[in-house]
DNA sequence: TAATTAGGCTAAATCGTTTTACCTGTTTAA
DNA sequence: TTAAACAGGTAAAACGATTTAGCCTAATTA
């Protein structure tokens, strides 16, 4: 239990003035309203003396805002998202906003429940990396002009603000890099749910790179790994793919989690990288510099993603009525680590 | 800008009843107050029909709570803390609480500012991994009976709830492990600020292990790395330590960030692990399974830390008046990776 | 001298809830 | 027959701020 805090009324009473006056002073509106300098000073002194802090819940109720931003991702402990969260936190803090972070585990129902919950909490805006394919919940948000920015993942047909990277191109470049080193049978480990735009785009990039370079096996080496069972599933599929006469020569991991699982599989099967198998992945993680096997990775510009996302979000928050929707697609960068490919 | 939402008044008006009644129904107090089943059903129907959601800011203002927990750590993008955050998020959600996560960058002023901010926001409790040595801010919290649990790091002389691991013992075991493998000149890279209990305890564990095993060079090989410049500082010190006739044979990294920097330094200097140098560290990170050099690590029971922290915190939140302060120290586990030590 | 203006301040409404205390009929018990 | 009990509700205060509209006095202007 918490002790009773002092309120604006206590300040007003103890100075023998109205709380209107105190409020005006606090909000730097006293000059406009012609409160004398002397009184202003008295108020500030008393505030300091009594160590008064405005109750933000009360203020926000009145003002209809919360100075809070909701961030919804699939898993905050994924390094990609935790780095994002950190940067968003820093940028938001500069404007006096805090962050409520929520993880969905790719569960659509949970995502919808979280969106509703954050709306009830009156968060002033949402930044979401959505697992959704159904857009009805988002259409509700849009109809309400609720400030919203989708990051990382796009939802086709949904007209809102987007900050993404060129996943198709990033994947294309990674796979093309493998092909140019002479690898031919290149497998890809995607992750379910596949309808997620980033995953799908990366798959398309992979397939296009194969096709453009006359590797005509289509999706014969494409595997889909369930989100909630990455390690086991990767290991099982991996084992199958490295056997037989059509065994694979290279592997494209569609995100950092899959990549980690692939590396474990490689080590457990005592595969030599890059001699027996080459490895590239989407997402770069600091520690990928140090892994064995090493891994060539598609790095995403996390800082830029966050900066744009907040720029878009604050534009929405401060605009009355429907704001123009913005979209930016940032470039990825292929980080080539020599020993991961021949 | 956001459309006006419908309120409890709208429901009441459109049913021709008082908002008291609606409120009672919503909060499942209608039976106690003898509201007829028929009326209850009418209220629920109307709520559904109008898609009414209570405004949580208003409710919380009235109730003097926020259903929010503040989590303060040095850096949420550190995998140790992001895993903690994720687990706390899950546990808190089950009780209807959300998490506001804040990073301090080890800056004491920032930490104090964040505590104050979270209090103003009326968060119902705080979980802090504190960089503080000054306890005055915390004494204020205690005096107010503000629900508080310190995790990870202790603050000597501060009587509050703690959930920590046995850092001294963890470090001792790691260093002893090195010694038993025959290493003698073992350096340690600590991180500033050193007054932080975890760091200090680990240093003590390191020193004690040396002493207990008759390695009498004291802190000659102990280095302190500034928090905000880990990589460069580690590399610089590392270079010095691996030269000359007293060059070190093993290295104890005091946390995962330092460990990562050490591995980079090792690779850049083409040091062979464990032949030229052995490496152990405090904190285990998933990817440490895969790094080259490999690293033997002291793993912390993150899930258990979180579970205890929330148990303590909710006990405080639900207790009226001063609650008994609790403390638990969990055991660490040394994860031995064979090739990191001889 | 009367009217206007300006300076300095305040009362009360409002945001959307919860909760306390009370109201009005009807039924039951004595 | 009357008081008590009960069923089914409501009005209004409270939470702690912001903001609108105006009040009062003294000074300035015509």
């Amino acid at each position: 239990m918490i002790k009773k805090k002092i309120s604006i009324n206590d300040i007003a009473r103890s100075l023998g003035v109205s709380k209107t006056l105190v409020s005006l002073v606090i909000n730097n509106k006293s000059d406009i309203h012609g409160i004398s300098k002397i009184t202003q000073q008295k108020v500030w002194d008393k505030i300091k003396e009594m160590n008064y802090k405005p109750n933000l819940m009360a203020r926000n109720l009145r003002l209809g805002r919360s100075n809070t931003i909701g961030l919804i991702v699939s898993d905050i402990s994924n390094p990609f998202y935790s780095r994002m969260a950190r940067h968003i936190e820093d940028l938001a803090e500069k404007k006096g906003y805090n962050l409520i972070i929520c993880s969905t585990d790719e569960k659509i129902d949970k995502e919808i429940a979280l969106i509703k919950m954050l709306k009830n909490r009156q968060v002033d805006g949402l930044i979401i990396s959505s697992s959704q394919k159904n857009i009805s919940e988002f259409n509700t948000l849009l109809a309400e002009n609720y400030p919203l920015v989708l990051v990382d993942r796009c939802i086709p047909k949904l007209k809102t603000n987007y900050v993404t990277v060129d996943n198709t191109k990033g994947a294309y470049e990674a796979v093309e890099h493998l092909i140019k080193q002479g690898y031919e049978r290149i497998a890809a480990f995607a992750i379910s749910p596949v309808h997620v735009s980033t995953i799908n785009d990366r798959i398309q990039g992979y397939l296009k790179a194969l096709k453009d370079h006359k590797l005509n096996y289509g999706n014969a080496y494409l595997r889909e790994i369930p989100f909630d069972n990455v390690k086991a599933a990767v290991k099982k599929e991996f084992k199958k793919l490295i056997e037989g006469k059509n065994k694979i020569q290279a592997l494209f991991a569609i995100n950092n989690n899959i990549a980690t699982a692939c590396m474990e599989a490689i080590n457990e099967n005592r595969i030599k990288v890059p001699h027996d198998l080459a490895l590239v992945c989407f997402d770069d993680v600091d520690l990928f510099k140090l892994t064995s096997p090493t891994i060539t990775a598609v790095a995403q510009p996390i800082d830029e993603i966050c900066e744009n996302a907040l720029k878009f979000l604050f534009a929405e928050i401060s605009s009355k009525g429907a704001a123009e929707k913005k979209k930016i697609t940032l470039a990825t960068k292929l980080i080539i680590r020599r020993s991961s490919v021949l």
Side-chain angles (χ1 to χ4, degrees), chain A:
Chain A
M1 280 311 294
I2 298 167
K3 237 192 213 168
K4 205 185 151 310
K5 291 198 47 159
I6 61 159
S7 77
I8 197 171
N9 270 311
D10 300 323
I11 299 290
R13 223 177 351 251
S14 78
L15 280 172
V17 299
S18 73
K19 60 179 172 180
T20 305
L21 190 153
V22 177
S23 173
L24 292 173
V25 171
I26 289 171
N27 293 286
N28 295 316
K29 295 188 177 159
S30 36
D31 284 332
I32 306 170
H33 288 255
I35 309 297
S36 74
K37 291 288 177 201
I38 295 179
T39 312
Q40 291 187 35
Q41 193 54 51
K42 271 197 270 183
V43 170
W44 285 120
D45 290 348
K46 187 57 90 177
I47 283 175
K48 186 150 219 171
E49 178 197 328
M50 301 183 75
N51 189 31
Y52 164 70
K53 310 282 179 201
N55 179 322
L56 296 186
M57 302 232 68
R59 169 180 289 171
N60 291 338
L61 169 61
R62 175 65 228 249
L63 264 31
R65 56 175 170 71
S66 63
N67 277 314
T68 308
I69 291 172
L71 174 66
I72 300 181
V73 297
S74 62
D75 180 6
I76 190 62
S77 69
N78 179 318
F80 176 68
Y81 292 121
S82 73
R83 280 190 51 202
M84 248 183 61
R86 176 60 208 273
H87 202 227
I88 292 178
E89 182 201 329
D90 287 347
L91 294 170
E93 198 213 4
K94 286 189 189 138
K95 303 239 185 191
Y97 282 76
N98 286 110
L99 219 50
I100 294 187
I101 298 174
C102 303
S103 306
T104 66
D105 278 328
E106 307 284 4
K107 294 195 185 104
I108 295 185
D109 293 350
K110 194 166 172 200
E111 182 178 322
I112 293 180
L114 287 172
I115 292 173
K116 289 186 176 163
M117 181 276 293
L118 290 170
K119 276 171 64 181
N120 295 168
R121 268 181 185 273
Q122 318 281 114
V123 304
D124 299 330
L126 289 169
I127 299 179
I128 307 183
S129 168
S130 173
S131 312
Q132 222 68 231
K133 55 183 154 193
N134 185 312
I135 63 174
S136 77
E137 193 59 32
F138 287 112
N139 277 329
T140 310
L141 287 173
L142 292 190
E144 293 169 335
N145 282 324
Y146 209 104
L148 169 69
V149 177
L150 294 191
V151 292
D152 185 38
R153 304 168 174 184
C154 293
I155 298 182
K157 289 185 275 181
L158 183 70
K159 271 202 145 314
T160 185
N161 302 288
Y162 286 102
V163 181
T164 54
V165 302
D166 193 335
N167 286 283
T168 311
K169 190 168 169 213
Y172 186 97
E173 288 172 358
V175 175
E176 185 175 51
H177 176 70
L178 287 172
I179 297 173
K180 287 193 174 159
Q181 313 293 314
Y183 298 99
E184 296 197 338
R185 287 187 301 284
I186 303 170
F189 280 168
I191 195 164
S192 67
V194 174
H195 67 260
V196 165
S197 74
T198 46
I199 303 304
N200 190 50
D201 289 353
R202 292 170 200 175
I203 292 176
Q204 298 312 319
Y206 160 76
L207 294 174
K208 184 161 192 305
L210 297 183
K211 202 166 171 192
D212 285 359
H213 293 84
K214 318 279 181 230
L215 298 173
N216 295 315
Y217 46 80
N219 57 15
Y221 294 120
L222 175 61
R223 297 292 179 274
E224 185 177 329
I225 306 297
F227 172 83
D228 50 7
N229 188 25
V230 168
K231 292 225 162 144
V234 161
K235 287 175 185 177
K236 193 171 147 202
E237 291 299 330
F238 184 83
K239 213 146 198 169
K240 290 192 216 157
L241 286 168
I242 56 167
E243 282 168 355
K245 78 172 202 292
N246 282 328
K247 64 175 181 242
I248 59 168
Q249 300 163 330
L251 188 46
F252 170 51
I254 214 148
N255 74 7
N256 67 59
N257 278 331
I258 298 275
T260 303
C262 289
M263 289 189 264
E264 284 186 33
I266 285 170
N267 289 343
E268 284 172 14
N269 290 278
R270 302 182 187 287
I271 305 291
K272 292 265 175 300
V273 169
H275 186 269
D276 299 337
L277 189 72
L279 184 59
V280 301
C281 80
F282 213 105
D283 279 356
D284 195 27
V285 171
D286 197 34
L287 277 173
F288 282 178
K289 278 207 276 286
L290 293 166
T291 56
S292 166
T294 52
I295 188 165
T296 284
V298 180
Q300 303 197 47
I302 296 186
D303 289 2
E304 257 183 285
I305 293 174
C306 299
E307 281 147 25
N308 281 285
L310 282 186
K311 200 171 72 186
F312 292 0
L313 193 69
F314 285 132
E316 286 244 330
I317 289 175
S318 53
S319 93
K320 325 281 165 213
E324 191 196 352
K325 302 303 174 196
K326 296 177 200 145
K327 167 157 189 159
I328 188 168
T329 304
L330 302 166
T332 60
K333 188 174 169 201
L334 188 65
I335 310 287
I336 297 174
R337 300 208 168 84
R338 304 257 83 237
S339 48
S340 67
V341 285
L342 273 183

